[in-house]
Amino acid sequence: MESVSGHAQRLTTVTLHLAHMTANLRLLQAQAPGAALWPVIKANAYGHGALPVARHLAGLGYRKVCVADVSEAAALAESGLGLATVILSPPLPEHAAALVTLGCEPVICTEDMANALNAAADKAGRRVPVHIAVDTGMGRVGMRPADTPAFFAACEALPGLAVVGIMSHFASADEADKTVAEAQLGRFQALTAAIGRRPGLQYHMANSAGMLELPGAAFDAVRPGIAMYGLPPSADIANPAAAALRPALEWTTPIVYLKEVPAGTGLSYGHDYHTPAPALIATVPVGYGDGLHRNLSGRMEMIVQGVRCPQVGRITMDLSLLDVTALRGLVHLGDEAVIIGQRGGAAQCADDLAATLGTINYEIVTAITQRVTRRIAT
Ligand SMILES: *Cc1c(COP(=O)(O)O)cnc(C)c1O
């Protein structure tokens, strides 16, 4: 692990079940048998911890991963794992030198960026591998499909560039209605026909939902993120294989304080909550500074000894309170409270918290901040 000392770490901990991740990757690869699989580990591997995840992927033999930007690629380069990095977000010309030095594979869609990379590559005496982004309907980055063949030819003519990929991204492959996704797929297929097969050129489009839901979307390579972590891209995934995905992340925290309080005691900032009866209140060192969203205050539970205990009072930056009255006489300092995970018959998953907040599981796990200790399950 990254931390040098087991006794100087934050007590709230993300535990990574790497074996689950391995199984999820096998399941995903089976959906796209012929395609290269480039795991997406942007945003600190969706909050799981980019370095431990990257190390695991390298150990499994993966050679290329996707990250958001050059800063994430730089952090990965320092790990010495030697993984190639596709940079998914568009860089600016000021990033060109760093991208070339780090050996990144940026996704580009402007002439300015192509020229800047070409100049930086020339200066370094290298060729920079690039992927061309095409907007088939996401309405975010990417050039119009109709402009792509000419841009491809222009990039091919630059001696410092090697076009190794042409890519697109689905806007709604996770939705039950596949009309938009199928239209995007059709546009991308037409583009592959227009440009054709070239040595060293790979077409790629599918995220997790595209892999699971759209046969024919795999092309030469796939870019799964959320499903590799064992979380469903949405509640509308129809592929039965998705039921076998297993979450790779557990989030727990120990109880650091216990106190009996009388009825009518106001708890935490603003005294939003008053105990209706005498209560045993536990303090746990997890708060919005760890990514536990403050809007979950009073609307979630944590699992202690297999029992769901209500979180009470406002979630603060570093600490939260649990009503553990049901465990009076059984609960002790140091006992584990589970924020995301399963104990006995009780489970709470990222999707439960997301539903309460009106968001998606992606945001729940990605929000878990750097200061939370990451450890590998043994
Ligand atoms: C984040 C991202 C992915 C992965 O998406 P998931 O839904 O997590 O599988 C793939 N491609 C691009 C361009 C992305 O930005």
Side-chain angles (χ1 to χ4, degrees):
M1 286 301 301
E2 271 57 68
S3 305
V4 283
S5 160
H7 296 287
Q9 299 182 10
R10 186 150 177 79
L11 289 166
T12 186
T13 299
V14 155
T15 301
L16 288 174
H17 293 268
L18 295 172
H20 294 185
M21 196 177 293
T22 306
N24 297 334
L25 284 160
R26 295 221 169 96
L27 182 156
L28 287 165
Q29 184 73 72
Q31 307 296 311
L37 192 153
W38 301 335
V40 179
I41 61 168
K42 62 193 180 190
N44 201 25
Y46 293 43
H48 291 62
L51 288 182
V53 169
R55 202 168 290 136
H56 182 61
L57 293 170
L60 292 175
Y62 291 93
R63 304 308 320 147
K64 192 184 299 213
V65 296
C66 302
V67 297
D69 65 16
V70 68
S71 74
E72 294 183 346
L76 211 51
E78 274 171 35
S79 72
L81 293 167
L83 290 165
T85 50
V86 179
I87 310 292
L88 296 174
S89 298
L92 282 174
E94 68 208 52
H95 289 131
L99 288 164
V100 171
T101 306
L102 290 166
C104 298
E105 301 185 12
V107 169
I108 64 169
C109 49
T110 65
E111 274 174 38
D112 281 355
M113 198 60 220
N115 290 330
L117 284 168
N118 184 52
D122 181 51
K123 208 166 165 185
R126 296 201 198 174
R127 280 187 102 194
V128 53
V130 299
H131 302 252
I132 296 174
V134 186
D135 182 7
T136 54
M138 173 68 180
R140 199 171 61 177
V141 294
M143 62 199 329
R144 278 186 288 271
D147 298 335
T148 307
F151 184 68
F152 173 75
C155 289
E156 287 277 278
L158 294 172
L161 298 195
V163 183
V164 297
I166 296 182
M167 62 85 75
S168 194
H169 190 47
F170 284 112
S172 53
D174 60 325
E175 289 178 13
D177 182 347
K178 295 290 189 283
T179 312
V180 170
E182 297 282 7
Q184 285 193 260
L185 185 55
R187 285 179 204 118
F188 197 65
Q189 274 160 347
L191 186 66
T192 66
I195 293 176
R197 310 236 39 116
R198 315 275 180 124
L201 177 65
Q202 291 180 294
Y203 292 96
H204 51 106
M205 183 171 196
N207 54 3
S208 299
M211 292 181 71
L212 290 165
E213 297 289 274
L214 290 155
F219 297 96
D220 301 314
V222 291
R223 312 183 305 263
I226 198 76
M228 162 175 73
Y229 304 103
L231 301 177
S234 79
D236 292 328
I237 299 300
N239 188 333
L245 293 170
R246 296 185 71 189
L249 176 150
E250 262 186 2
W251 189 9
T252 59
T253 182
I255 291 171
V256 292
Y257 190 60
L258 282 163
K259 180 164 57 186
E260 290 284 356
V261 299
T265 305
L267 298 181
S268 192
Y269 291 124
H271 283 188
D272 278 355
Y273 181 84
H274 289 80
T275 49
L280 178 61
I281 302 298
T283 301
V284 286
V286 62
Y288 61 80
D290 302 294
L292 188 67
H293 202 290
R294 188 171 168 280
N295 284 354
L296 288 167
S297 296
R299 303 165 72 195
M300 68 172 293
E301 296 164 327
M302 296 187 199
I303 302 163
V304 182
Q305 297 185 13
V307 175
R308 304 188 70 104
C309 298
Q311 189 281 319
V312 290
R314 284 188 199 159
I315 291 169
T316 72
M317 188 182 293
D318 308 315
L319 301 169
S320 304
L321 302 176
L322 302 176
D323 185 334
V324 294
T325 311
L327 292 169
R328 209 178 244 138
L330 302 170
V331 65
H332 300 96
L333 282 189
D335 280 1
E336 172 193 67
V338 178
I339 305 155
I340 293 176
Q342 182 169 8
R343 292 291 181 279
Q348 182 158 260
C349 62
D351 278 287
D352 297 329
L353 302 180
T356 303
L357 288 170
T359 186
I360 53 176
N361 56 24
Y362 293 71
E363 191 180 8
I364 299 298
V365 287
T366 304
I368 303 173
T369 56
Q370 286 282 353
R371 77 173 181 181
V372 175
T373 303
R374 267 77 178 176
R375 69 173 202 92
I376 311 285
T378 48

